Amino acid sequence: MAEPELPPLVLLVEDNPDNEELIRRAFAEREPQVALAVARHGEEALDYLHRRGEYQDPSRSPRPRLILLDLRLPRVDG
């Protein structure tokens, strides 16, 4: 029996909660559904992508199909 296919993952790198909510709503209206992972700053996004720190376990950091990146971020910008 085949395993169910997981929805495509989008990594959102966004520090503004209002912008995050707008993007969540936009994706919630889509078919097929997408999974959304959020990083709050550029450093966290790099940790996610390089599987460092809390993202060392590949099950916590599956590879995104798309990255949406805010260009003005704290710590490390886009």
Side-chain angles (χ1 to χ4, degrees):
M1 194 154 113
E3 291 185 30
E5 189 173 321
L6 296 174
L9 177 71
V10 174
L11 175 60
L12 172 62
V13 187
E14 176 60 65
D15 62 322
N16 183 317
D18 293 332
N19 290 344
E20 177 189 340
E21 181 60 25
L22 287 172
I23 292 167
R24 281 188 185 281
R25 287 181 186 184
F27 278 120
E29 295 172 3
R30 301 296 306 156
E31 282 293 331
Q33 295 295 314
V34 294
L36 192 63
V38 179
R40 302 282 176 219
H41 49 77
E43 191 175 293
E44 184 179 3
L46 290 172
D47 286 347
Y48 183 100
L49 293 169
H50 292 289
R51 292 190 169 138
R52 299 185 296 222
E54 67 180 278
Y55 299 106
Q56 286 180 354
D57 179 1
S59 68
R60 288 220 353 102
S61 58
R63 293 294 170 224
R65 193 166 301 170
L66 175 69
I67 299 172
L68 295 178
L69 176 65
D70 183 355
L71 295 179
R72 303 182 114 214
L73 293 165
R75 299 188 192 179
V76 178
D77 65 21

